[in-house]
Amino acid sequence: MTTLRTKQQGKGGRSDAEATRAAEAAMRTDLGQQALRENWGRGLFEFVKKWGKLPVETWTIEKLKRAANDLRWELIELEKKPNKTELDEANLRLLQSAASVEEELRERFLQPESDDS
């Protein structure tokens, strides 16, 4: 007999609200602050929402950084492209939306750097 997975099962038994709270808490950690400063906070936020914890493997963190960098470059290239097709325009809106989420996370969670000197 086949059973359907619920949203809670896909998040380790957590509800959407619990997954979001875990991701928000992650943004306040040292790694979260680093991600926000380096513009890969959206990827980290989504990772924590999905898996319920911060990534610990270096390769996972590097993958999140690369994905954010790729998104920024694609956005720049599409913005500069003349004579955009309908598909280009749709992709541009999608990339702009992702970039705006990154900015919203920075505005919400980025704390001023402390000057310990």
Side-chain angles (χ1 to χ4, degrees), residues 63-80:
K63 185 175 178 182
L64 293 173
K65 290 178 181 182
R66 276 192 310 278
N69 191 46
D70 290 347
L71 183 143
R72 282 191 303 276
W73 277 107
E74 287 178 39
L75 177 58
I76 290 167
E77 291 300 315
L78 260 178
E79 286 174 334
K80 291 190 304 188

Side-chain angles (χ1 to χ4, degrees), residues 7 30 56 59 63 66 71 74 81 90 92 99 114 117:
K7 285 185 178 184
D30 288 343
V56 292
W59 65 269
K63 185 175 178 182
R66 276 192 310 278
L71 183 143
E74 287 178 39
K81 184 177 180 181
L92 182 58
S114 62
S117 37

Side-chain angles (χ1 to χ4, degrees), residues 101-117:
V101 169
E102 182 75 40
E103 187 56 35
E104 288 171 22
L105 288 170
R106 288 174 56 84
E107 289 173 9
R108 253 181 95 190
F109 297 107
L110 185 61
Q111 301 163 359
E113 288 188 75
S114 62
D115 193 9
D116 294 335
S117 37

Side-chain angles (χ1 to χ4, degrees), residues 14-55:
R14 294 173 296 122
S15 69
D16 287 339
E18 290 168 326
T20 299
R21 280 194 298 275
E24 290 171 346
M27 294 293 97
R28 294 180 183 94
T29 67
D30 288 343
L31 184 61
Q33 292 298 297
Q34 176 189 349
L36 292 169
R37 283 189 179 84
E38 295 175 0
N39 294 306
W40 54 278
R42 186 182 67 85
L44 182 64
F45 189 87
E46 293 302 322
F47 180 93
V48 175
K49 272 182 71 172
K50 180 175 182 177
W51 299 104
K53 61 181 181 167
L54 289 168

